[in-house]
Amino acid sequence: MGKSLNNTSVAMADEVGYGKVLWPSVLLFIYILLPEILAVGFETFLFLCFLLFVAIWWIASREKFPADIPHFIGPLGLILFVGLLGVEGHEGYDVAKDVWYVTNAALSMIVGYVLMLNMRDLSRFFRVFVIASTIIAIFYLRPFVMYPWLLDLNFSVLRKLSGGGPMAPCVALGVLLAARMGGIRLFEKSTCLFYLAVALCSAAVILTYSRTELVMVSLFALTVFGWVQFTSRRRVVLLIAGMASLVVIGMSLPVAQEIGWNATLIDKALYSLQEMRVMNYVSLASINEHWRGYETLRALYTYSLGTPLQYLIGGGFGTNVDLGFFINLGGERMRFAPILHNGYMYLLVKTGMVGLFFYLLLLYRVTRRGTLLSFSQRMDVKYCGRLIVGLSLSFVATTFVIAGMFNKSGMLTASLLLGALLAYGSISEKEAAWKRV
């Protein structure tokens, strides 16, 4: 462990054998697989144990702490602070859950960062990540191989049976694409293993019937291929304006019919923006068809009931959104929702405009960091930067529909990878500085 939080460059690390340690690979493998096997709370416990050990070592060794960690994790810490300002009068259990959602995002990023500081090898990190994700994909695909008739079922039924499917294979496709474009060899002896991983992860993503995962894969492709870049203010403004226009148009288009249980994946994909539309709901049927939009409406109503101070800092952790009636959510009958699909509304209600600003600041910092790295002459660093941008945009998109970073389990692998890529960017810069000396 005495090789973790130091400033040794990649080249120097190879010379002294730093890259030969195995425990970072083992921990990474466990952290990716564990949420698919056990409750995610156990993963949080392991995060805390590992980081506690790192903190004790760091204090004892008097090593210089990486400056990047506060820069990127700081906004999440500030969100946590703002959320705790208004907890008085709220149920302790609800407060604890909100603290967990925010803390888990920070923990996963820090763990990814520390693992990369010890591993110092992007190829090996990618290889372990892909192997673990492919194993998850195999377990997800196994029922389809054993019972082929499942493929004849309606996709809505399949999603209920599968619970939505794993997210790791989706993120692994981004890793595989970046590795391919960046010339990063994952499997030295055989390229067949690379294409097998691509095939299995792709099949798992397709058979999850998840619009969110398809959007994420598309964003990875757009950024890794360099089709979406933030290299100039003009390009950024045009991109934001174009995306905003698509969202407005998509929400404004008339709907020919309601989307029922027998709808196809294409129907649901075309209906996605309609589902998030905020409007006056006249029946339970329309509420069910536009559940995310209804949640947003109720969140805005809850936010509007606050004081001027609460407009700034929110109602605090433990604030729940009154849905207006009892409904079965996640197997539990409830009226007051502690978490929302729309993570931006979740932050607005609990941490106000200040908390929302800090989250957007985090996404901006990550995107800017990835953009700067994408200018590197080193292919591995260049595509590391592009993948960082892809992950950032994925969090921007998924925060609308599955709470993004605040999703308690689904986006943990993405946060873990993001922390590792940020660490690798820092390592590569120190290596360049060391070579100049």
Side-chain angles (χ1 to χ4, degrees), residues 398-429:
T398 57
T399 302
F400 276 110
V401 291
I402 58 170
M405 281 189 180
F406 309 110
N407 187 302
K408 64 181 180 181
S409 59
M411 297 297 289
L412 275 185
T413 52
S415 298
L416 193 72
L417 176 62
L418 178 60
L421 295 177
L422 292 171
Y424 191 76
S426 178
I427 291 171
S428 66
E429 287 184 344

PDB file of all heavy atoms in Angstrom, residues 398-429:
ATOM      1  N   THR A 398     -28.231  10.803 -18.185  1.00  0.00           N
ATOM      2  CA  THR A 398     -28.871   9.859 -17.269  1.00  0.00           C
ATOM      3  C   THR A 398     -29.421  10.534 -16.017  1.00  0.00           C
ATOM      4  O   THR A 398     -30.306   9.978 -15.361  1.00  0.00           O
ATOM      5  CB  THR A 398     -27.882   8.757 -16.847  1.00  0.00           C
ATOM      6  OG1 THR A 398     -26.724   9.350 -16.246  1.00  0.00           O
ATOM      7  CG2 THR A 398     -27.458   7.925 -18.051  1.00  0.00           C
ATOM      8  N   THR A 399     -28.910  11.713 -15.685  1.00  0.00           N
ATOM      9  CA  THR A 399     -29.462  12.418 -14.526  1.00  0.00           C
ATOM     10  C   THR A 399     -30.920  12.791 -14.760  1.00  0.00           C
ATOM     11  O   THR A 399     -31.698  12.910 -13.817  1.00  0.00           O
ATOM     12  CB  THR A 399     -28.630  13.673 -14.207  1.00  0.00           C
ATOM     13  OG1 THR A 399     -27.274  13.284 -13.969  1.00  0.00           O
ATOM     14  CG2 THR A 399     -29.141  14.388 -12.965  1.00  0.00           C
ATOM     15  N   PHE A 400     -31.323  12.955 -16.013  1.00  0.00           N
ATOM     16  CA  PHE A 400     -32.719  13.249 -16.324  1.00  0.00           C
ATOM     17  C   PHE A 400     -33.627  12.055 -16.038  1.00  0.00           C
ATOM     18  O   PHE A 400     -34.781  12.234 -15.655  1.00  0.00           O
ATOM     19  CB  PHE A 400     -32.872  13.625 -17.804  1.00  0.00           C
ATOM     20  CG  PHE A 400     -32.595  15.073 -18.101  1.00  0.00           C
ATOM     21  CD1 PHE A 400     -31.465  15.429 -18.817  1.00  0.00           C
ATOM     22  CD2 PHE A 400     -33.456  16.068 -17.673  1.00  0.00           C
ATOM     23  CE1 PHE A 400     -31.197  16.759 -19.100  1.00  0.00           C
ATOM     24  CE2 PHE A 400     -33.205  17.399 -17.943  1.00  0.00           C
ATOM     25  CZ  PHE A 400     -32.070  17.747 -18.657  1.00  0.00           C
ATOM     26  N   VAL A 401     -33.133  10.831 -16.247  1.00  0.00           N
ATOM     27  CA  VAL A 401     -34.036   9.680 -16.278  1.00  0.00           C
ATOM     28  C   VAL A 401     -33.786   8.625 -15.207  1.00  0.00           C
ATOM     29  O   VAL A 401     -34.705   7.907 -14.817  1.00  0.00           O
ATOM     30  CB  VAL A 401     -33.993   9.006 -17.671  1.00  0.00           C
ATOM     31  CG1 VAL A 401     -34.625   9.908 -18.712  1.00  0.00           C
ATOM     32  CG2 VAL A 401     -32.558   8.667 -18.086  1.00  0.00           C
ATOM     33  N   ILE A 402     -32.539   8.493 -14.716  1.00  0.00           N
ATOM     34  CA  ILE A 402     -32.276   7.489 -13.668  1.00  0.00           C
ATOM     35  C   ILE A 402     -31.416   8.080 -12.541  1.00  0.00           C
ATOM     36  O   ILE A 402     -30.693   7.357 -11.869  1.00  0.00           O
ATOM     37  CB  ILE A 402     -31.606   6.221 -14.241  1.00  0.00           C
ATOM     38  CG1 ILE A 402     -30.283   6.573 -14.944  1.00  0.00           C
ATOM     39  CG2 ILE A 402     -32.543   5.462 -15.144  1.00  0.00           C
ATOM     40  CD1 ILE A 402     -29.458   5.350 -15.322  1.00  0.00           C
ATOM     41  N   ALA A 403     -31.476   9.399 -12.366  1.00  0.00           N
ATOM     42  CA  ALA A 403     -30.799  10.113 -11.278  1.00  0.00           C
ATOM     43  C   ALA A 403     -29.288  10.222 -11.451  1.00  0.00           C
ATOM     44  O   ALA A 403     -28.606  10.751 -10.573  1.00  0.00           O
ATOM     45  CB  ALA A 403     -31.105   9.481  -9.920  1.00  0.00           C
ATOM     46  N   GLY A 404     -28.729   9.748 -12.569  1.00  0.00           N
ATOM     47  CA  GLY A 404     -27.311   9.933 -12.852  1.00  0.00           C
ATOM     48  C   GLY A 404     -26.408   9.418 -11.751  1.00  0.00           C
ATOM     49  O   GLY A 404     -26.521   8.262 -11.318  1.00  0.00           O
ATOM     50  N   MET A 405     -25.491  10.258 -11.285  1.00  0.00           N
ATOM     51  CA  MET A 405     -24.543   9.862 -10.235  1.00  0.00           C
ATOM     52  C   MET A 405     -25.236   9.435  -8.949  1.00  0.00           C
ATOM     53  O   MET A 405     -24.652   8.711  -8.142  1.00  0.00           O
ATOM     54  CB  MET A 405     -23.591  11.014  -9.920  1.00  0.00           C
ATOM     55  CG  MET A 405     -22.474  11.193 -10.907  1.00  0.00           C
ATOM     56  SD  MET A 405     -21.280  12.405 -10.279  1.00  0.00           S
ATOM     57  CE  MET A 405     -20.105  12.391 -11.637  1.00  0.00           C
ATOM     58  N   PHE A 406     -26.463   9.892  -8.745  1.00  0.00           N
ATOM     59  CA  PHE A 406     -27.157   9.620  -7.490  1.00  0.00           C
ATOM     60  C   PHE A 406     -27.973   8.332  -7.558  1.00  0.00           C
ATOM     61  O   PHE A 406     -28.684   8.010  -6.611  1.00  0.00           O
ATOM     62  CB  PHE A 406     -28.027  10.813  -7.113  1.00  0.00           C
ATOM     63  CG  PHE A 406     -27.271  12.100  -7.151  1.00  0.00           C
ATOM     64  CD1 PHE A 406     -27.517  13.056  -8.123  1.00  0.00           C
ATOM     65  CD2 PHE A 406     -26.263  12.350  -6.236  1.00  0.00           C
ATOM     66  CE1 PHE A 406     -26.799  14.234  -8.184  1.00  0.00           C
ATOM     67  CE2 PHE A 406     -25.535  13.535  -6.278  1.00  0.00           C
ATOM     68  CZ  PHE A 406     -25.797  14.472  -7.262  1.00  0.00           C
ATOM     69  N   ASN A 407     -27.859   7.618  -8.663  1.00  0.00           N
ATOM     70  CA  ASN A 407     -28.439   6.280  -8.746  1.00  0.00           C
ATOM     71  C   ASN A 407     -27.614   5.371  -7.840  1.00  0.00           C
ATOM     72  O   ASN A 407     -26.398   5.270  -7.987  1.00  0.00           O
ATOM     73  CB  ASN A 407     -28.396   5.790 -10.196  1.00  0.00           C
ATOM     74  CG  ASN A 407     -29.125   4.476 -10.393  1.00  0.00           C
ATOM     75  OD1 ASN A 407     -28.797   3.488  -9.757  1.00  0.00           O
ATOM     76  ND2 ASN A 407     -30.103   4.476 -11.269  1.00  0.00           N
ATOM     77  N   LYS A 408     -28.253   4.700  -6.921  1.00  0.00           N
ATOM     78  CA  LYS A 408     -27.516   4.015  -5.864  1.00  0.00           C
ATOM     79  C   LYS A 408     -26.665   2.855  -6.356  1.00  0.00           C
ATOM     80  O   LYS A 408     -25.711   2.451  -5.672  1.00  0.00           O
ATOM     81  CB  LYS A 408     -28.486   3.512  -4.783  1.00  0.00           C
ATOM     82  CG  LYS A 408     -29.469   2.447  -5.274  1.00  0.00           C
ATOM     83  CD  LYS A 408     -30.408   2.031  -4.154  1.00  0.00           C
ATOM     84  CE  LYS A 408     -31.391   0.955  -4.632  1.00  0.00           C
ATOM     85  NZ  LYS A 408     -32.325   0.559  -3.549  1.00  0.00           N
ATOM     86  N   SER A 409     -26.968   2.292  -7.531  1.00  0.00           N
ATOM     87  CA  SER A 409     -26.184   1.145  -7.987  1.00  0.00           C
ATOM     88  C   SER A 409     -25.862   1.187  -9.478  1.00  0.00           C
ATOM     89  O   SER A 409     -24.741   0.877  -9.875  1.00  0.00           O
ATOM     90  CB  SER A 409     -26.929  -0.164  -7.672  1.00  0.00           C
ATOM     91  OG  SER A 409     -28.198  -0.176  -8.310  1.00  0.00           O
ATOM     92  N   GLY A 410     -26.817   1.575 -10.303  1.00  0.00           N
ATOM     93  CA  GLY A 410     -26.667   1.446 -11.747  1.00  0.00           C
ATOM     94  C   GLY A 410     -25.461   2.152 -12.325  1.00  0.00           C
ATOM     95  O   GLY A 410     -24.782   1.639 -13.217  1.00  0.00           O
ATOM     96  N   MET A 411     -25.138   3.358 -11.813  1.00  0.00           N
ATOM     97  CA  MET A 411     -24.071   4.162 -12.393  1.00  0.00           C
ATOM     98  C   MET A 411     -22.759   4.084 -11.610  1.00  0.00           C
ATOM     99  O   MET A 411     -21.828   4.841 -11.866  1.00  0.00           O
ATOM    100  CB  MET A 411     -24.526   5.620 -12.484  1.00  0.00           C
ATOM    101  CG  MET A 411     -25.723   5.837 -13.400  1.00  0.00           C
ATOM    102  SD  MET A 411     -25.384   5.404 -15.121  1.00  0.00           S
ATOM    103  CE  MET A 411     -24.283   6.732 -15.593  1.00  0.00           C
ATOM    104  N   LEU A 412     -22.661   3.143 -10.658  1.00  0.00           N
ATOM    105  CA  LEU A 412     -21.441   3.030  -9.865  1.00  0.00           C
ATOM    106  C   LEU A 412     -20.227   2.691 -10.727  1.00  0.00           C
ATOM    107  O   LEU A 412     -19.134   3.222 -10.524  1.00  0.00           O
ATOM    108  CB  LEU A 412     -21.606   1.965  -8.779  1.00  0.00           C
ATOM    109  CG  LEU A 412     -22.256   2.398  -7.463  1.00  0.00           C
ATOM    110  CD1 LEU A 412     -22.239   1.258  -6.471  1.00  0.00           C
ATOM    111  CD2 LEU A 412     -21.540   3.600  -6.877  1.00  0.00           C
ATOM    112  N   THR A 413     -20.409   1.786 -11.695  1.00  0.00           N
ATOM    113  CA  THR A 413     -19.280   1.409 -12.550  1.00  0.00           C
ATOM    114  C   THR A 413     -18.805   2.594 -13.379  1.00  0.00           C
ATOM    115  O   THR A 413     -17.602   2.756 -13.601  1.00  0.00           O
ATOM    116  CB  THR A 413     -19.667   0.254 -13.479  1.00  0.00           C
ATOM    117  OG1 THR A 413     -20.871   0.568 -14.180  1.00  0.00           O
ATOM    118  CG2 THR A 413     -19.874  -1.030 -12.697  1.00  0.00           C
ATOM    119  N   ALA A 414     -19.739   3.439 -13.823  1.00  0.00           N
ATOM    120  CA  ALA A 414     -19.363   4.626 -14.591  1.00  0.00           C
ATOM    121  C   ALA A 414     -18.594   5.609 -13.724  1.00  0.00           C
ATOM    122  O   ALA A 414     -17.597   6.198 -14.158  1.00  0.00           O
ATOM    123  CB  ALA A 414     -20.615   5.287 -15.184  1.00  0.00           C
ATOM    124  N   SER A 415     -19.035   5.799 -12.480  1.00  0.00           N
ATOM    125  CA  SER A 415     -18.334   6.697 -11.555  1.00  0.00           C
ATOM    126  C   SER A 415     -16.944   6.165 -11.221  1.00  0.00           C
ATOM    127  O   SER A 415     -15.968   6.919 -11.136  1.00  0.00           O
ATOM    128  CB  SER A 415     -19.143   6.874 -10.266  1.00  0.00           C
ATOM    129  OG  SER A 415     -20.391   7.464 -10.517  1.00  0.00           O
ATOM    130  N   LEU A 416     -16.848   4.858 -11.035  1.00  0.00           N
ATOM    131  CA  LEU A 416     -15.566   4.218 -10.748  1.00  0.00           C
ATOM    132  C   LEU A 416     -14.590   4.442 -11.906  1.00  0.00           C
ATOM    133  O   LEU A 416     -13.424   4.817 -11.704  1.00  0.00           O
ATOM    134  CB  LEU A 416     -15.788   2.722 -10.520  1.00  0.00           C
ATOM    135  CG  LEU A 416     -14.645   1.905  -9.909  1.00  0.00           C
ATOM    136  CD1 LEU A 416     -14.476   2.244  -8.443  1.00  0.00           C
ATOM    137  CD2 LEU A 416     -14.938   0.415 -10.060  1.00  0.00           C
ATOM    138  N   LEU A 417     -15.069   4.223 -13.117  1.00  0.00           N
ATOM    139  CA  LEU A 417     -14.239   4.424 -14.309  1.00  0.00           C
ATOM    140  C   LEU A 417     -13.840   5.886 -14.461  1.00  0.00           C
ATOM    141  O   LEU A 417     -12.686   6.193 -14.802  1.00  0.00           O
ATOM    142  CB  LEU A 417     -15.002   3.948 -15.546  1.00  0.00           C
ATOM    143  CG  LEU A 417     -14.311   4.175 -16.901  1.00  0.00           C
ATOM    144  CD1 LEU A 417     -12.993   3.420 -16.975  1.00  0.00           C
ATOM    145  CD2 LEU A 417     -15.232   3.773 -18.051  1.00  0.00           C
ATOM    146  N   LEU A 418     -14.773   6.793 -14.197  1.00  0.00           N
ATOM    147  CA  LEU A 418     -14.473   8.213 -14.325  1.00  0.00           C
ATOM    148  C   LEU A 418     -13.340   8.617 -13.380  1.00  0.00           C
ATOM    149  O   LEU A 418     -12.402   9.325 -13.781  1.00  0.00           O
ATOM    150  CB  LEU A 418     -15.721   9.037 -14.024  1.00  0.00           C
ATOM    151  CG  LEU A 418     -15.555  10.559 -14.064  1.00  0.00           C
ATOM    152  CD1 LEU A 418     -15.088  11.020 -15.439  1.00  0.00           C
ATOM    153  CD2 LEU A 418     -16.866  11.256 -13.688  1.00  0.00           C
ATOM    154  N   GLY A 419     -13.402   8.175 -12.134  1.00  0.00           N
ATOM    155  CA  GLY A 419     -12.339   8.486 -11.184  1.00  0.00           C
ATOM    156  C   GLY A 419     -10.993   7.958 -11.652  1.00  0.00           C
ATOM    157  O   GLY A 419      -9.968   8.644 -11.538  1.00  0.00           O
ATOM    158  N   ALA A 420     -10.976   6.748 -12.209  1.00  0.00           N
ATOM    159  CA  ALA A 420      -9.727   6.150 -12.688  1.00  0.00           C
ATOM    160  C   ALA A 420      -9.158   6.933 -13.862  1.00  0.00           C
ATOM    161  O   ALA A 420      -7.942   7.154 -13.943  1.00  0.00           O
ATOM    162  CB  ALA A 420      -9.971   4.698 -13.088  1.00  0.00           C
ATOM    163  N   LEU A 421     -10.001   7.348 -14.790  1.00  0.00           N
ATOM    164  CA  LEU A 421      -9.536   8.094 -15.961  1.00  0.00           C
ATOM    165  C   LEU A 421      -8.984   9.455 -15.564  1.00  0.00           C
ATOM    166  O   LEU A 421      -7.992   9.935 -16.132  1.00  0.00           O
ATOM    167  CB  LEU A 421     -10.671   8.253 -16.971  1.00  0.00           C
ATOM    168  CG  LEU A 421     -11.182   6.961 -17.617  1.00  0.00           C
ATOM    169  CD1 LEU A 421     -12.363   7.263 -18.539  1.00  0.00           C
ATOM    170  CD2 LEU A 421     -10.082   6.250 -18.378  1.00  0.00           C
ATOM    171  N   LEU A 422      -9.627  10.102 -14.597  1.00  0.00           N
ATOM    172  CA  LEU A 422      -9.109  11.382 -14.100  1.00  0.00           C
ATOM    173  C   LEU A 422      -7.730  11.195 -13.469  1.00  0.00           C
ATOM    174  O   LEU A 422      -6.830  12.028 -13.643  1.00  0.00           O
ATOM    175  CB  LEU A 422     -10.085  11.981 -13.083  1.00  0.00           C
ATOM    176  CG  LEU A 422     -11.434  12.447 -13.647  1.00  0.00           C
ATOM    177  CD1 LEU A 422     -12.391  12.802 -12.511  1.00  0.00           C
ATOM    178  CD2 LEU A 422     -11.259  13.638 -14.576  1.00  0.00           C
ATOM    179  N   ALA A 423      -7.561  10.095 -12.746  1.00  0.00           N
ATOM    180  CA  ALA A 423      -6.254   9.812 -12.142  1.00  0.00           C
ATOM    181  C   ALA A 423      -5.209   9.559 -13.220  1.00  0.00           C
ATOM    182  O   ALA A 423      -4.067  10.035 -13.113  1.00  0.00           O
ATOM    183  CB  ALA A 423      -6.355   8.597 -11.217  1.00  0.00           C
ATOM    184  N   TYR A 424      -5.575   8.823 -14.268  1.00  0.00           N
ATOM    185  CA  TYR A 424      -4.611   8.529 -15.328  1.00  0.00           C
ATOM    186  C   TYR A 424      -4.193   9.808 -16.057  1.00  0.00           C
ATOM    187  O   TYR A 424      -3.025   9.953 -16.446  1.00  0.00           O
ATOM    188  CB  TYR A 424      -5.191   7.532 -16.329  1.00  0.00           C
ATOM    189  CG  TYR A 424      -4.154   6.989 -17.286  1.00  0.00           C
ATOM    190  CD1 TYR A 424      -3.245   6.032 -16.855  1.00  0.00           C
ATOM    191  CD2 TYR A 424      -4.067   7.450 -18.595  1.00  0.00           C
ATOM    192  CE1 TYR A 424      -2.269   5.533 -17.709  1.00  0.00           C
ATOM    193  CE2 TYR A 424      -3.094   6.965 -19.455  1.00  0.00           C
ATOM    194  CZ  TYR A 424      -2.201   5.998 -19.003  1.00  0.00           C
ATOM    195  OH  TYR A 424      -1.230   5.521 -19.850  1.00  0.00           O
ATOM    196  N   GLY A 425      -5.135  10.724 -16.216  1.00  0.00           N
ATOM    197  CA  GLY A 425      -4.783  12.005 -16.819  1.00  0.00           C
ATOM    198  C   GLY A 425      -3.764  12.751 -15.979  1.00  0.00           C
ATOM    199  O   GLY A 425      -2.812  13.342 -16.508  1.00  0.00           O
ATOM    200  N   SER A 426      -3.940  12.709 -14.649  1.00  0.00           N
ATOM    201  CA  SER A 426      -2.991  13.357 -13.748  1.00  0.00           C
ATOM    202  C   SER A 426      -1.634  12.677 -13.806  1.00  0.00           C
ATOM    203  O   SER A 426      -0.585  13.332 -13.839  1.00  0.00           O
ATOM    204  CB  SER A 426      -3.542  13.330 -12.315  1.00  0.00           C
ATOM    205  OG  SER A 426      -2.632  13.895 -11.410  1.00  0.00           O
ATOM    206  N   ILE A 427      -1.624  11.353 -13.833  1.00  0.00           N
ATOM    207  CA  ILE A 427      -0.371  10.594 -13.908  1.00  0.00           C
ATOM    208  C   ILE A 427       0.379  10.918 -15.191  1.00  0.00           C
ATOM    209  O   ILE A 427       1.603  11.111 -15.190  1.00  0.00           O
ATOM    210  CB  ILE A 427      -0.662   9.082 -13.822  1.00  0.00           C
ATOM    211  CG1 ILE A 427      -1.159   8.712 -12.429  1.00  0.00           C
ATOM    212  CG2 ILE A 427       0.589   8.273 -14.161  1.00  0.00           C
ATOM    213  CD1 ILE A 427      -1.678   7.300 -12.326  1.00  0.00           C
ATOM    214  N   SER A 428      -0.327  10.982 -16.314  1.00  0.00           N
ATOM    215  CA  SER A 428       0.320  11.245 -17.601  1.00  0.00           C
ATOM    216  C   SER A 428       0.942  12.638 -17.635  1.00  0.00           C
ATOM    217  O   SER A 428       2.020  12.834 -18.224  1.00  0.00           O
ATOM    218  CB  SER A 428      -0.687  11.098 -18.743  1.00  0.00           C
ATOM    219  OG  SER A 428      -1.699  12.088 -18.671  1.00  0.00           O
ATOM    220  N   GLU A 429       0.292  13.603 -16.998  1.00  0.00           N
ATOM    221  CA  GLU A 429       0.866  14.952 -16.947  1.00  0.00           C
ATOM    222  C   GLU A 429       2.138  14.968 -16.111  1.00  0.00           C
ATOM    223  O   GLU A 429       3.121  15.641 -16.466  1.00  0.00           O
ATOM    224  CB  GLU A 429      -0.164  15.932 -16.385  1.00  0.00           C
ATOM    225  CG  GLU A 429      -1.298  16.254 -17.347  1.00  0.00           C
ATOM    226  CD  GLU A 429      -2.235  17.301 -16.796  1.00  0.00           C
ATOM    227  OE1 GLU A 429      -2.184  17.554 -15.573  1.00  0.00           O
ATOM    228  OE2 GLU A 429      -3.014  17.868 -17.579  1.00  0.00           O
TER     229      GLU A 429
END
